[in-house]
Amino acid sequence: MPIAQTHEMHKRRFGRNLGVALSLVGFAAIVFGLTIAKIQEGASMEAYDHQPRVSVTPLVEDGR
């Protein structure tokens, strides 16, 4: 005889699990949306990698 009756505790646990799952999906959607917005912005996306960046180095005029 299989156990087919669901206890009240399982219903409450399912509700909490569903809430946590929806929160996690919402957080992932926010992070994904912010990432897409940053990429589509088209701003200078040079990372700090201990190399001189062309965009911040001053122009050198050849005054010979």
Side-chain angles (χ1 to χ4, degrees), residues 6 16 18 20 22 35-36 39 42 45 53 56 60:
T6 304
R16 278 189 297 225
L18 185 62
V20 169
L22 290 176
T35 302
I36 294 300
I39 290 173
M45 291 199 270
R53 294 183 293 168
V56 295
V60 178

Side-chain angles (χ1 to χ4, degrees), residues 13-33:
R13 188 177 291 163
F14 176 77
R16 278 189 297 225
N17 288 343
L18 185 62
V20 169
L22 290 176
S23 298
L24 183 60
V25 168
F27 178 72
I30 289 171
V31 169
F32 180 73

Side-chain angles (χ1 to χ4, degrees), residues 3-64:
I3 300 174
Q5 191 173 13
T6 304
H7 194 268
E8 184 261 338
M9 176 183 67
H10 294 105
K11 292 177 186 176
R12 285 188 289 142
R13 188 177 291 163
F14 176 77
R16 278 189 297 225
N17 288 343
L18 185 62
V20 169
L22 290 176
S23 298
L24 183 60
V25 168
F27 178 72
I30 289 171
V31 169
F32 180 73
L34 289 173
T35 302
I36 294 300
K38 178 69 177 174
I39 290 173
Q40 288 181 349
E41 186 178 299
S44 174
M45 291 199 270
E46 297 175 357
Y48 182 72
D49 57 357
H50 303 287
Q51 297 292 324
R53 294 183 293 168
V54 176
S55 63
V56 295
T57 54
L59 294 175
V60 178
E61 296 182 20
D62 192 16
R64 292 185 205 185

